[in-house]
Amino acid sequence: MLYTIVMMVCMSAMPHTCEQREEMADGLAMNPGVAFMQAQPLVAHWLETHPGYFVQRWRVLPGRSS
């Protein structure tokens, strides 16, 4: 199922400088709770590829596109 991972990301050096980022995720489970667990590694991967940021909060929204 197609989902959008919506993250509020902030700069580590300036923690009050935040913005919303959206990443598409396909192939996650239809059950929202399971999809949330499956999306955790995708959020971790985003953090690994974007040094200098941290994720303040995130959620998974089904069927949404940016």
Side-chain angles (χ1 to χ4, degrees):
M1 184 169 177
L2 181 64
Y3 286 90
T4 300
I5 301 171
V6 180
M7 300 177 284
M8 181 61 66
V9 299
C10 306
M11 297 178 67
S12 297
M14 299 172 61
H16 297 294
T17 303
C18 303
E19 62 185 49
Q20 182 172 298
R21 296 277 178 104
E22 295 185 2
E23 297 287 324
M24 300 304 296
D26 196 12
L28 301 182
M30 290 186 70
N31 179 299
V34 175
F36 184 84
M37 290 188 309
Q38 291 175 328
Q40 289 177 353
L42 301 175
V43 174
H45 177 67
W46 189 94
L47 280 170
E48 289 174 3
T49 58
H50 294 83
Y53 285 90
F54 67 93
V55 176
Q56 186 179 62
R57 64 182 176 267
W58 65 279
R59 61 190 169 153
V60 177
L61 300 175
R64 184 173 169 195
S65 61
S66 33

